[in-house]
Amino acid sequence: METVESLSLDLNNKEQLLNFLENQVYENANHGEIEIKYTHTVNLANKNEKIIGQSECFLQLESLYNNADYPIMHIKLYIPQQFSNIKLNIYN
């Protein structure tokens, strides 16, 4: 709720909320954290959805932060192992 209040988001305004999630969240974040885990457990919001190869997936957890200690948003992506190729490029 701290995030909602600090960004003056109206949770009843679907258009404003979608615009924030789709367009503005990365503009408001000043740093992020990405963690990649291997998992056998897939937690989907819609129990009717299925993931091919759901018993063996990589879980990408992304947390976006602004100047506060609490995150603006958490993002979860399940990547079936048989379709994955994880490549990291690091620049300095």
Side-chain angles (χ1 to χ4, degrees):
M1 286 309 297
E2 292 89 2
T3 301
V4 171
E5 291 173 4
S6 69
L7 297 171
S8 301
L9 291 174
D10 179 1
L11 297 180
N12 293 317
N13 185 333
K14 184 177 178 180
E15 185 176 316
Q16 179 196 34
L17 188 58
L18 285 175
N19 182 53
F20 174 77
L21 294 174
E22 293 175 352
N23 302 308
Q24 296 176 351
V25 70
Y26 285 96
E27 293 174 13
N28 288 331
N30 65 13
H31 73 280
E33 176 180 278
I34 295 177
E35 181 178 357
I36 299 173
K37 298 179 176 184
Y38 182 76
T39 184
H40 289 282
T41 305
V42 176
N43 296 315
L44 300 173
N46 183 347
K47 300 297 181 191
N48 295 325
E49 291 181 357
K50 300 287 182 204
I51 293 180
I52 297 171
Q54 75 179 43
S55 62
E56 298 179 351
C57 290
F58 288 104
L59 171 59
Q60 178 183 320
L61 300 168
E62 183 176 4
S63 299
L64 301 175
Y65 297 87
N66 59 8
N67 294 325
D69 292 332
Y70 50 86
I72 296 174
M73 186 165 65
H74 292 291
I75 302 164
K76 283 185 177 180
L77 298 172
Y78 290 98
I79 306 165
Q81 182 184 14
Q82 69 263 34
F83 301 119
S84 66
N85 180 16
I86 298 173
K87 182 178 182 178
L88 303 174
N89 291 305
I90 310 217
Y91 298 92
N92 189 358

